Amino acid sequence: MSVFASRSRFGRFTVSPATLVLVGCAAMGLAACGPTGEPNFDKPMAAPTTAVQSQPLSGGATVGETLGTGPVRIGVILPLTQGGNPSAVGVSLRNAAQLAVEESGASDVTLMVLDDHSTPEGAAQAAQAAIGAGADLIVGPLFSPSVREVGKVAKAAGRPVIAFSTDTSVAARGVYLLSFLIEGYVDRIMDYARSKGKQSFAAMAPQSDYGNIAVAEFQQAAARLGVRVVTIARYAPGQAASAAKEIAAVSGQIDTLFIPEQTDGMDGVNAALAASGVKTQILGTGIWNDPRIMKMPALQGAWFAAPENAGFNAFADRYRAKFHSDPTRLATLAYDAISLVAALARTQGTQRYSEKVLTNASGFNGADGVFRFRPEGPDERGLAVMQINNGAATVVSPAPRSFAGG
């Protein structure tokens, strides 16, 4: 079975029946995004379950916790602790890696799971240890300062990295990001809005890192699509009322309003929109795939881009059955990364982690749908567009099942 996605035409992407997947578990439901919201990086979680210990391999002793018994060694660097306490997101990523290796790759790879203690220094030390123990590739870490340090260590050793940060500034050749990038959400929802005849846009965005990245991509997308941007109203976090009044003042000139706000800020946005009387087509990002946001009156009818739900939901069912707890939304990143490296170890021989293989233009299919790595490092995902109505989201434009060749 090929590990690469299949091809046929669908706009910017390609679509054909999803018969080619990362691993031999297609029946388990591979494709999308669950309404679990933002992960809590500080809340303690149950300790990891007992490891599947590997046998000693040629090339010296392994390091960290080992999962799988295969000949190809993979360093897995995760924030298992933060401030000395267990990290919910780190443990969830670790459990997802175990689930992936047990379902598909236990005889292909040996994972060496190492805690970076949620610090760049810890990540650099973990990378050195993993590479010293013969890791062919590093999966993780999560936080961008840690990715930057691991990238330096891995580059010096000629080893690629598949990390989980959403900060594209840490991506580079050989340092690939498997994550939910803000830029991807923005491009997909802007493309969809333009395809529906929308021509005159405004944005209402918080003064935050997330807002800054989203606004920059919004402006680039508007220029690419040839649409008008009437105004961009920025506001301090938690103070959306003034921005909503600015939007209301130009409401007769716009047919679309983009709001790249995160979950915690949406109560204020909902109230501000209602008070200002703004009535237009609203656009958001994948963070809105959350039951709390879907119940907000001002957002009924809004569109947002996100992975489809089915794949994450199927993954979450299997995760709960094994670990008796809910996965964080980011857990599928580790699941897909480990499924990918195991499949490549099994099928691609000595070139398994070469740039040519990892950046194959056809991409790969995983729990969150089709994805591929660009040569410069960021990922590109096939995303759906969803519409909020009656407190729920329905797909109005399905996610593509494969990519075009370029």
Side-chain angles (χ1 to χ4, degrees):
M1 178 177 289
S2 170
V3 297
F4 303 111
S6 52
R7 301 185 182 182
S8 68
R9 195 91 184 137
F10 182 84
R12 292 177 61 197
F13 303 101
T14 59
V15 176
S16 64
T19 56
L20 303 179
V21 295
L22 288 179
V23 295
C25 57
M28 295 178 180
L30 300 175
C33 173
T36 56
E38 292 290 278
N40 182 343
F41 289 90
D42 302 310
K43 183 179 178 182
M45 188 175 180
T49 58
T50 302
V52 178
Q53 294 295 331
S54 70
Q55 298 299 314
L57 305 178
S58 58
T62 57
V63 293
E65 178 193 18
T66 56
L67 303 169
T69 58
V72 177
R73 294 183 177 184
I74 304 296
V76 182
I77 300 174
L78 301 172
L80 298 176
T81 60
Q82 188 172 47
N85 296 313
S87 163
V89 70
V91 173
S92 191
L93 289 165
R94 176 256 172 233
N95 288 348
Q98 179 182 342
L99 189 64
V101 80
E102 289 182 357
E103 288 183 349
S104 64
S107 62
D108 300 305
V109 295
T110 292
L111 308 184
M112 299 182 292
V113 183
L114 296 153
D115 184 10
D116 65 13
H117 306 288
S118 303
T119 68
E121 298 79 11
Q125 292 170 4
Q128 291 165 352
I131 290 170
D136 280 7
L137 175 144
I138 291 175
V139 170
L142 174 62
F143 301 117
S144 58
S146 297
V147 175
R148 188 171 286 111
E149 294 305 310
V150 168
K152 294 175 184 176
V153 175
K155 182 178 181 181
R159 298 290 188 270
V161 176
I162 298 176
F164 304 133
S165 172
T166 59
D167 180 357
T168 57
S169 73
V170 300
R173 286 190 176 272
V175 180
Y176 306 103
L177 301 183
L178 181 56
S179 55
F180 303 112
L181 297 180
I182 304 166
E183 295 89 340
Y185 288 146
V186 176
D187 287 345
R188 176 66 164 115
I189 199 61
M190 289 290 288
D191 287 349
Y192 179 76
R194 185 67 186 92
S195 77
K196 294 301 179 182
K198 304 301 182 183
Q199 301 181 58
S200 188
F201 290 68
M204 177 175 150
Q207 293 169 343
S208 64
D209 290 342
Y210 192 95
N212 293 342
I213 294 169
V215 166
E217 193 68 19
F218 166 77
Q219 292 174 303
Q220 291 184 29
R224 171 173 57 82
L225 295 168
V227 298
R228 180 185 180 205
V229 176
V230 175
T231 190
I232 297 175
R234 305 300 298 272
Y235 58 89
Q239 300 179 30
S242 60
K245 290 177 183 177
E246 185 177 339
I247 297 300
V250 298
S251 60
Q253 304 174 49
I254 64 174
D255 55 25
T256 314
L257 173 61
F258 174 55
I259 307 177
E261 179 60 276
Q262 300 185 77
T263 306
D264 291 345
M266 286 305 297
D267 282 330
V269 168
N270 178 61
L273 291 174
S276 65
V278 172
K279 300 290 184 183
T280 191
Q281 180 61 59
I282 294 175
L283 310 180
T285 70
I287 286 174
W288 288 13
N289 200 9
D290 185 302
R292 294 169 291 177
I293 292 175
M294 293 178 198
K295 292 180 174 65
M296 295 179 180
L299 297 184
Q300 301 309 299
W303 297 334
F304 64 90
E308 292 178 11
N309 289 330
F312 177 82
N313 292 341
F315 161 82
D317 286 344
R318 303 196 311 280
Y319 184 104
R320 291 186 198 103
K322 183 169 185 64
F323 300 109
H324 309 292
S325 62
D326 290 330
T328 62
R329 184 58 191 91
L330 299 184
T332 48
L333 300 181
Y335 182 86
D336 282 352
I338 298 306
S339 296
L340 173 60
V341 299
L344 295 179
R346 184 165 59 251
T347 63
Q348 300 300 306
T350 59
Q351 295 301 303
R352 54 188 170 261
Y353 305 136
S354 66
E355 180 176 328
K356 181 178 179 180
V357 169
L358 289 172
T359 63
N360 183 281
S362 295
F364 312 99
N365 282 313
D368 286 305
V370 68
F371 66 93
R372 63 182 173 185
F373 299 118
R374 300 205 296 269
E376 63 273 23
D379 69 351
E380 182 178 0
R381 287 186 176 275
L383 298 171
V385 174
M386 301 186 187
Q387 183 172 31
I388 300 173
N389 276 312
N390 300 317
T394 57
V395 175
V396 293
S397 179
R401 303 306 180 203
S402 56
F403 292 102

